Amino acid sequence: MVVIHRGLRREARLLVELIAAVAPGDTARARALGAHFRDYRLGLTGHHHGEDAYLWPPLLARVDLEADLVLRMEAQHDRVAASLAAAGEALPAWEERAG
């Protein structure tokens, strides 16, 4: 779990850096990074769905954890999903202009 989360966070940081470095008007680069973002979003969304559906419920039922820790993680997933959705909505226009 630690390795997966480190990888996902690393990719998010790199994606932000790569997108910020796109030269205005470089639509080919924007489209390539847009495709990478879509792949990243698909993987992260699937990972979060798996945690939400298959990890947190049995964990809460079987392990003596404070429920607020799991609820905080679920809330984080909701915030990440909202951010990914907003970025996804802005992506087509950015890919068209790269500006």
Side-chain angles (χ1 to χ4, degrees):
M1 192 65 98
V2 171
V3 171
I4 290 169
H5 285 115
R6 277 187 191 151
L8 289 168
R9 287 185 185 114
R10 182 183 135 261
E11 286 303 309
R13 280 190 306 274
L14 291 173
L15 195 50
V16 167
E17 291 171 11
L18 291 168
I19 287 171
V22 172
D26 189 351
T27 56
R29 183 75 173 144
R31 284 190 302 274
L33 288 171
H36 180 63
F37 169 79
R38 288 180 181 92
D39 288 343
Y40 174 80
R41 179 180 59 185
L42 179 65
L44 181 58
T45 300
H47 171 75
H48 282 175
H49 172 73
E51 286 180 334
D52 293 343
Y54 304 110
L55 179 62
W56 307 137
L59 196 59
L60 281 170
R62 295 183 188 137
V63 179
D64 186 24
L65 281 180
E66 293 182 28
D68 57 325
L69 174 64
V70 174
L71 296 175
R72 186 174 63 207
M73 287 185 243
E74 289 175 336
Q76 289 172 354
H77 286 183
D78 291 342
R79 285 194 307 277
V80 169
S83 295
L84 290 174
E89 289 175 16
L91 190 60
W94 179 72
E95 287 173 307
E96 257 184 52
R97 294 185 302 276

